[in-house]
Amino acid sequence: MKKIFALLLVALMLLPCIVSCSGGGGGTVINARGTASKEAEKLGADGLLIVTPYYNKCSQEGIIKHYNYIAQRVSAPIIVYNVPSRTGVNIEPATYAALADHPMIQGIKEANGNISKIVETVARVRGKLDLY
């Protein structure tokens, strides 16, 4: 474990590094995600990859509150990770449009596989979020 941690520290110094912060409690405890995100920043993360809450299948409004809660507490940019096959909920294009208004939310890692939804998302966020 010490070797892995040492390699991570070297990578953080040499390369831009985006850290995935899923948090504890089965990915459902928002305070744990906020804490994990702050810890990643302290270690030098250049960005944060935050997966949509899973297990509880929150509403679209809940997704907005979740990401905004974390975004208000960090200084590193956030990439929203939408992987509905794992989380049980898909982020809708209108939700992305609302998230695009927060300056710390800067990207989307989209894994829903629905090209028409992706095209709609791109149109709604109007260049405010990068799409991966």
Side-chain angles (χ1 to χ4, degrees), residues 102-129:
H102 198 293
M104 296 314 299
I105 299 174
Q106 297 182 9
I108 301 166
K109 181 177 178 185
E110 184 58 76
N112 74 9
N114 185 329
I115 299 301
S116 64
K117 290 277 189 181
I118 294 169
V119 169
E120 183 182 349
T121 295
V122 169
R124 284 181 177 251
V125 301
R126 302 172 307 280
K128 292 181 182 178
L129 301 176

Side-chain angles (χ1 to χ4, degrees), residues 24-46:
T28 61
V29 181
I30 194 166
N31 288 338
R33 285 192 185 187
T35 300
S37 299
K38 293 300 287 180
E39 289 300 316
E41 285 184 306
K42 286 179 190 175
L43 290 172
D46 297 299

Side-chain angles (χ1 to χ4, degrees), residues 27-74:
T28 61
V29 181
I30 194 166
N31 288 338
R33 285 192 185 187
T35 300
S37 299
K38 293 300 287 180
E39 289 300 316
E41 285 184 306
K42 286 179 190 175
L43 290 172
D46 297 299
L48 305 168
L49 179 67
I50 310 290
V51 72
T52 302
Y54 49 94
Y55 185 72
N56 290 337
K57 296 183 183 178
C58 61
S59 67
Q60 297 300 299
E61 182 63 29
I63 290 170
I64 293 168
K65 288 178 181 179
H66 171 78
Y67 282 106
N68 282 331
Y69 177 90
I70 295 170
Q72 291 167 359
R73 287 159 177 77
V74 298

